[in-house]
Amino acid sequence: MRTKRGNGAGSLFQRAEGGPWYASWYNGEGKRKERSTRTTSRADAERIMRKWVERAALEREGLVKPEGGTALDRHAAATIASHLDAFDNAKRSEGRTDRHIAETRKMIEEAAEACGWKALGDIAPDALECYIGRKRAPDDDTERPWTPRTAHKCITAIRTFTRWCVSDGRLPADPIARVKKPAPTRQRERRFLSVDEWRWLQATTDHGPERMGMEGHARRLLYELAIQTGLRSGELRSLTRSSLMLDAERPYVLLEARQTKNGKAARQYVRPELARDLAAFVARAMPGAAVLNMPRREHVATMLRADLDAARTAWLAEAGIDAKERIKREASDFLRAEDHDGRVLDFHALRHTCGAWAAIGGNSPKAIQTLMRHSTITLTLDAYGHLLPDEAAETVARMPSVEPIPLRLTGTGDDHGGDASEGAFSASKVPATSPATAGRKGTIRSDVVRWKGAEESPVCPAKHSGKRGSSSGEGGIRTPDDPKAIPDFESGAFNRSATSPTGSSV
């Protein structure tokens, strides 16, 4: 039997005749609840239900908290580990790699343990700032301090988690929103391989011994493929036999979106010589087999440095018994894993080599950006715009030379019959129109500047023919600052069309 009540007053019913009364009402969150009053007396059940209904009304107005707390309260009391499980699933559904998810979770768990956070509601900005400060300036001298880039990465991981909790309704606001991230300055500066360095590395590696489970010929193909395509270590590791399109007119390597860092499919071209070597290398491989059996991620740079040392040893040995040449080579940075300026040659430096060689080859910045698969041209120029050691000097040497204008004063023996007593101006030595004024209208043609006598000008009276600077013949020379000198437009002294330095019309 069920008794219905209106206006949110709830209702009472019995599941069995003579049994306890049950109350049904809507709680503060608007959800229907049913609960036993634990009494067979209807009057007592009415009073109990009335209290529950009144509390639900107070909960809806926010005057009291619901029994057991709100959903936010329950999330705040739950452990961080339970929320991280859901966070991992969310990131996996977004397409994040297992490696990225594992690294992010590890950083969050290490920070939570160091800060003393057990539940989600324990996360506080003060504890995180103290943790980052201790890591950047540890008390123990044996502990390596964090770089700004590492601190930036840690705060980013925790903030990604807290913002996800906010968007999922687990937190009302981001508790670490005010924590500032340090600028992730690049702590390791890389250099690129020069062409001569690559010749030595290629020759010694191709016939070198096995390292890290890779034969010398396979390592040479790996390095050369990295230089020509600019592929990263993880992208090269994901290549299979079916990724190599070596029979095409222009051979290339094809990567699917899941294999690249930016999540976009890529087509990276290779030279025919490398394509032939790769085709012979994978001739017996299955379509799904890995092209190169690369060592673990942290061992790839070690393998490259060992090959660099072997190549440098062979280069030094080439000096023979020439002591002077030997000393010169010992002091050089040629094939060093780290030069005197602190720039290093690790495996990612082969990607830098790809961008640098493309720039040296005269390719446009936009073409290099496409090759390197960068989102912006700024990243291309800042990260891979390496200069050759003498490139700055060559840039200055390629600037146009500027010669001074030769001017002189002429006497009576001048070819143009100037007045020596006045020091007439000689315009026959003035050079052609300069590049700075070549584009202006009305530029003076400077091969010769001729001024007609006043007696020949239609606008000047003949009485001026005997004035200073006049000549009995035609085409006499007058000083340019003579206010009565009239330019001869018929002879072309003033050319209305601008001319280029080569004499052609602009």
Side-chain angles (χ1 to χ4, degrees):
M1 183 179 68
R2 182 182 295 270
T3 303
K4 295 185 178 180
R5 297 172 181 267
N7 301 324
S11 61
L12 291 173
F13 64 92
Q14 290 178 313
R15 296 186 184 277
E17 187 175 356
W21 288 93
Y22 285 82
S24 175
W25 78 102
Y26 289 95
N27 64 6
E29 297 178 355
K31 297 180 180 180
R32 188 174 184 85
K33 293 195 66 176
E34 291 183 359
R35 187 174 177 182
S36 173
T37 62
R38 296 178 181 274
T39 179
T40 58
S41 170
R42 183 180 178 85
D44 293 339
E46 290 270 5
R47 288 192 296 269
I48 295 172
M49 183 182 65
R50 192 178 303 115
K51 289 183 180 180
W52 290 342
V53 171
E54 290 174 355
R55 183 176 180 85
L58 294 175
E59 291 175 3
R60 282 194 294 271
E61 297 298 329
L63 299 177
V64 296
K65 288 187 176 182
E67 296 180 4
T70 63
L72 288 174
D73 294 333
R74 292 191 292 272
H75 285 311
T79 62
I80 293 179
S82 63
H83 293 288
L84 282 175
D85 293 337
F87 175 70
D88 292 347
N89 293 330
K91 292 303 173 183
R92 193 171 289 107
S93 66
E94 293 177 5
R96 300 290 185 176
T97 63
D98 292 338
R99 173 187 162 190
H100 172 80
I101 295 172
E103 289 181 351
T104 302
R105 177 162 186 155
K106 182 180 179 181
M107 283 187 288
I108 296 172
E109 289 177 338
E110 289 178 352
E113 183 179 358
C115 295
W117 300 336
K118 301 295 183 182
L120 185 64
D122 297 337
I123 299 178
D126 296 341
L128 179 60
E129 289 171 341
C130 292
Y131 170 67
I132 297 297
R134 291 195 305 269
K135 284 295 187 178
R136 296 194 63 181
D139 297 331
D140 189 358
D141 295 336
T142 61
E143 185 178 354
R144 185 176 180 181
W146 274 11
T147 63
R149 192 177 186 87
T150 305
H152 184 280
K153 187 176 181 180
C154 176
I155 297 175
T156 299
I158 300 174
R159 183 166 294 172
T160 302
F161 171 65
T162 54
R163 287 181 176 177
W164 173 82
C165 289
V166 172
S167 63
D168 199 49
R170 298 168 185 259
L171 283 174
D174 186 1
I176 63 167
R178 70 172 179 83
V179 178
K180 302 295 184 182
K181 294 187 287 187
T185 54
R186 190 176 297 276
Q187 300 297 314
R188 177 181 298 175
E189 186 177 358
R190 295 181 174 91
R191 72 179 184 93
F192 67 93
L193 278 171
S194 68
V195 176
D196 288 338
E197 285 178 314
W198 168 241
R199 290 194 185 104
W200 279 93
L201 179 62
Q202 180 185 33
T204 55
T205 303
D206 202 20
H207 302 90
E210 180 179 324
R211 301 186 196 277
M212 304 290 180
M214 290 190 71
E215 297 180 353
H217 182 61
R219 297 198 308 276
R220 193 269 294 178
L221 291 177
L222 171 65
Y223 301 155
E224 191 167 358
L225 186 60
I227 291 175
Q228 290 193 19
T229 62
L231 294 178
R232 302 172 178 88
S233 174
E235 293 170 338
L236 290 166
R237 190 185 307 275
S238 67
L239 291 179
T240 61
R241 173 65 184 86
S242 58
S243 303
L244 304 180
M245 307 300 174
L246 306 177
D247 297 332
E249 181 179 355
R250 298 175 61 189
Y252 60 91
V253 176
L254 182 64
L255 285 87
E256 299 178 4
R258 61 180 178 80
Q259 296 175 285
T260 61
K261 180 181 178 181
N262 60 3
K264 298 180 180 179
R267 177 181 295 188
Q268 303 298 110
Y269 293 92
V270 297
R271 292 189 172 183
E273 310 87 55
L274 177 58
R276 288 192 294 269
D277 291 345
L278 286 172
F281 183 75
V282 298
R284 299 182 179 180
M286 298 294 291
V291 175
L292 299 162
N293 186 23
M294 295 174 60
R296 295 175 57 182
R297 180 171 59 92
E298 57 270 21
H299 294 161
V300 176
T302 304
M303 180 179 69
L304 174 61
R305 291 192 179 101
D307 287 329
L308 286 170
D309 290 341
R312 180 174 171 83
T313 301
W315 177 68
L316 293 174
E318 191 196 34
I321 60 175
D322 189 343
K324 185 177 180 180
E325 178 65 18
R326 178 79 181 197
I327 294 174
K328 180 181 177 181
R329 295 193 179 194
E330 287 282 0
S332 172
D333 287 332
F334 193 80
L335 289 170
R336 283 187 183 273
E338 182 174 350
D339 63 12
H340 290 89
D341 294 329
R343 299 176 301 176
V344 299
L345 264 176
D346 55 10
F347 192 84
H348 197 73
L350 300 181
R351 177 171 166 82
H352 284 244
T353 303
C354 175
W357 283 15
I360 295 170
N363 295 282
S364 67
K366 191 63 179 178
I368 301 174
Q369 178 190 356
T370 303
L371 173 64
M372 305 306 294
R373 294 171 290 133
H374 287 154
S375 57
T376 62
I377 193 65
T378 304
L379 178 60
T380 304
L381 296 178
D382 289 347
Y384 299 97
H386 297 279
L387 293 175
L388 287 173
D390 58 347
E391 187 70 12
E394 292 295 330
T395 302
V396 176
R398 286 193 291 267
M399 290 182 178
S401 59
V402 180
E403 299 180 357
I405 299 176
L407 298 177
R408 66 184 178 85
L409 295 177
T410 60
T412 55
D414 189 86
D415 295 338
H416 303 288
D419 190 347
S421 63
E422 297 295 333
F425 175 78
S426 174
S428 60
K429 297 296 184 179
V430 178
T433 305
S434 64
T437 61
R440 300 177 185 172
K441 293 276 187 178
T443 303
I444 299 176
R445 194 178 66 190
S446 55
D447 54 339
V448 59
V449 180
R450 296 186 178 275
W451 304 80
K452 281 207 168 185
E455 68 278 10
E456 297 182 357
S457 173
V459 296
C460 291
K463 63 181 180 179
H464 295 293
S465 59
K467 293 289 184 178
R468 169 175 55 87
S470 63
S471 176
S472 58
E474 293 185 0
I477 301 298
R478 278 187 177 272
T479 57
D481 56 345
D482 189 342
K484 296 182 180 180
I486 304 301
D488 184 3
F489 293 98
E490 295 179 358
S491 63
F494 281 81
N495 191 348
R496 289 295 182 183
S497 62
T499 57
S500 67
T502 59
S504 60
S505 177
V506 178

